[in-house]
Amino acid sequence: MSPRNAATRVSGMVERPPGFCYRESKDSRGRGSALYCENVSLNHLAKQYGTPLYVYSTATIRARLSAFEKAFRHFPHTICYSVKANSNLSILRLLARAGCGFDVVSGGELERVLRADRRGARKIVFSGVGKSADEMLMALKAGILLFNVESESELSVLAECAARLRKEARVALRVNPDVDARTHPYISTGLHKHKFGIPIASARSLYAQAAGIKYLKVAGVSVHIGSQITDVEPFAEAVTRVADLIRQLSADGHTIELVDVGGGVGIAYEQREVDFADHVARYASGVTGPLRELKVHLLLEPGRAIIGPAGVLLTSVLYRKRNDGKRFLVVDAAMNDLMRPALYGAYHEIVPVDIKSETEPQEVVDVVGPVCESGDFLGRDRNLPPVEEGDLLAVLDTGAYGMALASNYNTRPRPAEVLVSGKSAKLIRRREKVRDLLSTEL
Ligand SMILES: *Cc1c(COP(=O)(O)O)cnc(C)c1O
């Protein structure tokens, strides 16, 4: 069976190739189309594993990773996937096998990466504004590549930890370039008013201080200006400022080998992506341009751009209801399973898994979950063909910051996760049970 591009036949239904496409299906109700993840039917997965269910496409992850690799092929670089976007061990293993390093922001994430890739420590970067001494000790023992230090106090704690273990810590200062990323305020991090990084103007003196400390090795400069950034200019601007700093630091006698430009490459949530390879190529030229003359190795920390479009959240319609003319679909996934709409007002495309006919009239509905909050919605005022109770919906582009942000609010066990590759589907996290949740309580 070859994938059929039903998007051209079924108006308005957005697909996400190579992972998620409609195929012609013949069911008891006649002819129609059904959504697949690679060669696996999403109907089939929902039947086997239940809903809500996260489903990820290996082909999409690989395709997006190779777009990055291709765009940066002329510049020495390492992709350090940002673990916080989606930290499932099987996803990390897949990325490690594809050659990725990792960006971690906690001791827990560090443990995950070491579990997924025991010999991968030399490709791990440790970011975060509040690393504890215990976390630093653990990272030093593992022998990670780089600490991205965010304050003078953190630098001295790291120095103590390194001295205690008599192990050298490679250090970059995360500088705050005061660049407006023009993204959602909660995920914008590169302005002086944000808690992140060290003001770029004060970096030189802190580098001088670091260079004088035994067991600290000044190795790089790091910057991360935010997430879901769709323009190239803010990245180019930030790296231009970093390049200026590196020239100053070199004049001061430091050897800067590593430049960590963070993550933040945005994805197209609201429409079909123009062309990801193009987009990453433009990003690559914006980022590498200012660094051309410098002999540095680039570290990239994409999270969302790799895993976001590689995942969907499958959910079943529990009830249709109408309140004074407003139509609701109450589904079995809620804000605890996918927090982005409630947290950021984020938009995710929602599509029916089965399309019965191309000519069905659409209706305007709010897709809401069972949690007791009015903020518990997955989509508002959506045009959908009429779906019935029991039908399946797919919430698209939920591979990043979906399961990673899931909680147990309302004592709801978190969803299961499935990783598809071609014709095969593997359960990579079993559905939680209420028993799991109660097990930590005394
Ligand atoms: C969150 C984060 C990333 C990943 O951001 P994406 O938008 O998912 O690419 C990379 N680096 C750091 C330091 C981060 O905090």
Side-chain angles (χ1 to χ4, degrees):
M1 194 168 33
S2 73
R4 284 211 33 134
N5 191 337
T8 52
R9 295 187 321 121
V10 186
S11 62
M13 285 311 151
V14 181
E15 302 187 313
R16 296 289 188 271
F20 300 93
C21 293
Y22 284 96
R23 293 174 177 205
E24 217 165 76
S25 68
K26 279 185 225 159
D27 64 7
S28 51
R29 288 168 294 202
R31 289 183 82 81
S33 305
L35 192 59
Y36 275 64
C37 178
E38 301 187 25
N39 296 330
V40 175
S41 147
L42 292 180
N43 278 304
H44 179 81
L45 289 181
K47 225 171 266 154
Q48 188 167 358
Y49 299 108
T51 55
L53 180 71
Y54 277 102
V55 180
Y56 307 111
S57 154
T58 301
T60 305
I61 296 171
R62 291 221 172 97
R64 301 183 75 86
L65 200 54
S66 40
F68 266 94
E69 289 293 0
K70 184 157 175 258
F72 284 91
R73 69 192 179 283
H74 297 307
F75 204 100
H77 70 275
T78 304
I79 293 176
C80 296
Y81 166 77
S82 174
V83 173
K84 76 174 190 284
N86 185 321
S87 57
N88 187 291
L89 285 173
S90 299
I91 304 269
L92 300 183
R93 245 176 247 126
L94 167 67
L95 291 165
R97 271 191 220 117
C100 281
F102 297 94
D103 169 48
V104 301
V105 293
S106 72
E109 285 190 355
L110 177 59
E111 269 194 62
R112 278 185 181 277
V113 170
L114 295 173
R115 184 86 72 88
D117 183 15
R118 263 189 306 136
R119 279 169 301 184
R122 274 310 287 257
K123 285 189 186 177
I124 297 176
V125 171
F126 197 168
S127 303
V129 69
K131 303 171 198 78
S132 71
D134 283 342
E135 289 175 318
M136 291 179 190
L137 290 168
M138 184 180 153
L140 282 163
K141 283 179 194 153
I144 67 162
L145 174 64
L146 189 66
F147 289 86
N148 286 331
V149 171
E150 301 212 17
S151 67
E152 186 175 350
S153 305
E154 185 192 336
L155 193 69
S156 52
V157 173
L158 180 59
E160 282 165 30
C161 292
R164 176 143 35 122
L165 297 178
R166 297 170 196 278
K167 281 192 95 166
E168 190 177 72
R170 277 169 299 275
V171 170
L173 297 187
R174 171 168 172 182
V175 296
N176 185 324
D178 198 21
V179 164
D180 188 354
R182 283 166 258 152
T183 181
H184 191 284
Y186 290 6
I187 51 177
S188 182
T189 59
L191 282 171
H192 65 82
K193 67 176 177 187
H194 297 131
K195 69 179 175 183
F196 297 98
I198 290 155
I200 196 158
S202 4
R204 255 173 104 187
S205 65
L206 202 51
Y207 270 102
Q209 199 176 318
I213 300 174
K214 204 181 170 192
Y215 294 114
L216 294 191
K217 167 108 179 4
V218 167
V221 178
S222 151
V223 72
H224 171 76
I225 57 171
S227 196
Q228 185 52 21
I229 301 165
T230 44
D231 296 341
V232 171
E233 291 86 77
F235 291 116
E237 229 173 284
V239 178
T240 301
R241 291 180 195 188
V242 165
D244 289 343
L245 174 64
I246 293 173
R247 277 184 281 272
Q248 286 182 335
L249 294 174
S250 304
D252 292 347
H254 302 288
T255 311
I256 301 298
E257 295 168 338
L258 300 170
V259 177
D260 182 343
V261 295
V265 174
I267 61 175
Y269 283 106
E270 304 219 13
Q271 71 276 336
R272 204 191 312 208
E273 210 153 47
V274 197
D275 180 33
F276 183 63
D278 258 20
H279 180 59
V280 180
R282 265 181 283 117
Y283 167 73
S285 71
V287 159
T288 58
L291 300 172
R292 279 271 168 249
E293 309 297 310
L294 304 168
K295 279 209 185 79
V296 291
H297 186 96
L298 197 57
L299 302 175
L300 303 157
E301 302 173 347
R304 187 193 313 269
I306 301 287
I307 193 72
V312 301
L313 174 60
L314 286 184
T315 183
S316 306
V317 177
L318 298 173
Y319 304 111
R320 294 179 57 93
K321 73 180 273 184
R322 257 178 110 135
N323 285 356
D324 287 336
K326 195 166 172 60
R327 289 169 203 264
F328 293 93
L329 299 178
V330 183
V331 299
D332 65 358
M335 65 187 282
N336 73 293
D337 306 301
L338 176 65
M339 192 154 52
R340 287 180 32 75
L343 188 59
Y344 312 119
Y347 181 95
H348 284 275
E349 197 74 41
I350 302 175
V351 299
V353 168
D354 289 295
I355 295 172
K356 289 137 206 166
S357 116
E358 303 126 60
T359 52
E360 272 180 315
Q362 303 212 322
E363 59 176 359
V364 178
V365 293
D366 278 15
V367 181
V368 301
V371 160
C372 307
E373 301 239 4
S374 293
D376 180 28
F377 63 91
L378 298 179
R380 281 179 166 153
D381 297 322
R382 297 305 177 85
N383 279 299
L384 283 173
V387 287
E388 290 158 31
E389 295 177 358
D391 283 358
L392 276 179
L393 298 176
V395 188
L396 305 186
D397 305 314
T398 47
Y401 308 106
M403 190 61 188
L405 277 168
S407 79
N408 296 118
Y409 189 37
N410 280 204
T411 307
R412 288 170 53 87
R414 288 176 302 166
E417 295 176 288
V418 167
L419 180 60
V420 168
S421 178
K423 283 188 291 190
S424 92
K426 205 174 96 197
L427 185 68
I428 58 171
R429 183 199 302 261
R430 71 162 168 81
R431 185 174 302 284
E432 243 169 10
K433 298 187 168 88
V434 172
R435 197 194 315 139
D436 297 321
L437 310 193
L438 299 184
S439 68
T440 55
E441 293 176 34
L442 308 171

